[in-house]
Amino acid sequence: VACLLPLLLYAAGQDSKMGVFGITPRLGAWPLYARVAPFADCHDFTPPAGTVALCESTPIGSRQGPDFYLWNARSPAQRAFGVPPHHQAEVGDFALAVIEHQPLTYLYTVGRDLARYVDPQLVTRPGWGADSSSLALNQQWPAGEAYTLKPVGVYYSHAHIHVRQTIMDFLEGWRHVFRIQGVLIALCAILSLLAMRVAPDARTRRALGLLVAFAAVLFVVPVTVDEYSARYGVPGAVVLLVSGVRGAEVIASRMSVRWSPPAPPATLTPT
């Protein structure tokens, strides 16, 4: 109830202003198009009807990342169809055709972006999602702030941005200490999987399996249908940390039992 009530209130607020009962932007299939556009090669397939304009002559190695294709006015889809979510059926058909005819490239891209939750430097080209180093809470971005005010103005009148630098600096320092990233994510995953194998009872194995499954979904879905971004990994990292701590406890308990010295044999006391 504590989780659902705020979400329902948020969805109701969006419905009253935008006529859409939901908690996500109305982007339709555009994120999936942005996912595949950087490697889409129309020489490998015939583009669906009405989507020829999405084919590019730019070499794949020289293209920008998903951010460009989803948000930039110079991207092929925006030049052909306007801004999201217009013509989402066309961009969706194109994205599915790319995945169907270039499945290995798609899987490689998804797998590489998934690995970036451990090593963000696997991709450093522009437009390929923000890593944790570029998400400083105390940075200011005037262009982004001006862009943000536009949709905020749909919900609130007289919207302004006031910067409280002391609080922002404190939150940034807190984030540096407590964020879950890199090797810690890999370690928690390993501990969770090992504990699932050595746990002494089915109840513990099921609990760990549930946590790992939740974390996997939270990590995998964004890079499958959209892109990598460090902020997308925050929910999954929290769940994985809980699983990893429980896994470490299970493993430590099993090792202590295995390596503890045997109990001395019982002796009979004559009566």
Side-chain angles (χ1 to χ4, degrees), residues 18-217:
M18 306 294 292
V20 176
F21 187 83
I23 60 173
T24 58
R26 293 179 297 160
L27 295 178
W30 279 71
L32 186 61
Y33 157 74
R35 167 80 286 180
V36 303
F39 60 81
D41 186 353
C42 290
H43 293 100
D44 290 345
F45 65 97
T46 301
T51 64
V52 175
L54 302 183
C55 296
E56 294 184 76
S57 58
T58 305
I60 292 176
S62 302
R63 297 181 191 178
Q64 297 191 52
D67 284 344
F68 169 80
Y69 290 94
L70 183 58
W71 302 114
N72 197 297
R74 295 183 290 108
S75 71
Q78 288 211 22
R79 284 191 280 110
F81 302 129
V83 298
H86 295 132
H87 295 272
Q88 59 175 298
E90 287 85 349
V91 297
D93 289 342
F94 181 83
L96 292 176
V98 174
I99 294 173
E100 179 183 355
H101 292 89
Q102 298 178 252
L104 296 181
T105 306
Y106 171 71
L107 291 175
Y108 167 79
T109 305
V110 168
R112 182 192 60 192
D113 273 6
L114 189 61
R116 292 175 66 195
Y117 287 115
V118 177
D119 182 9
Q121 297 304 308
L122 287 173
V123 179
T124 57
R125 287 185 290 163
W128 282 89
D131 61 29
S132 57
S133 63
S134 63
L135 292 175
L137 299 175
N138 57 350
Q139 67 179 340
Q140 289 185 253
W141 183 28
E145 292 166 1
Y147 183 86
T148 302
L149 283 174
K150 294 180 181 180
V152 171
V154 175
Y155 296 90
Y156 305 98
S157 59
H158 308 296
H160 301 281
I161 293 178
H162 301 280
V163 178
R164 292 173 173 81
Q165 194 65 35
T166 302
I167 297 176
M168 293 171 67
D169 291 341
F170 169 77
L171 291 174
E172 177 62 15
W174 179 281
R175 184 180 76 96
H176 272 286
V177 174
F178 291 101
R179 68 186 182 187
I180 307 165
Q181 60 174 344
V183 175
L184 184 57
I185 290 178
L187 178 62
C188 288
I190 293 171
L191 289 173
S192 301
L193 294 174
L194 286 176
M196 287 174 60
R197 183 174 180 83
V198 303
D201 60 281
R203 181 173 181 270
T204 300
R205 289 193 295 271
R206 288 195 299 268
L208 286 169
L210 186 63
L211 288 171
V212 170
F214 267 109
V217 169

Side-chain angles (χ1 to χ4, degrees), residues 208-258:
L208 286 169
L210 186 63
L211 288 171
V212 170
F214 267 109
V217 169
L218 291 169
F219 276 118
V220 170
V221 169
V223 299
T224 302
V225 299
D226 189 357
E227 65 170 349
Y228 161 85
S229 181
R231 62 192 174 96
Y232 294 161
V234 172
V238 173
V239 176
L240 191 60
L241 179 64
V242 174
S243 178
V245 171
R246 177 62 177 137
E249 181 185 8
V250 169
I251 293 172
S253 176
R254 294 290 291 174
M255 292 174 64
S256 65
V257 170
R258 182 175 181 179

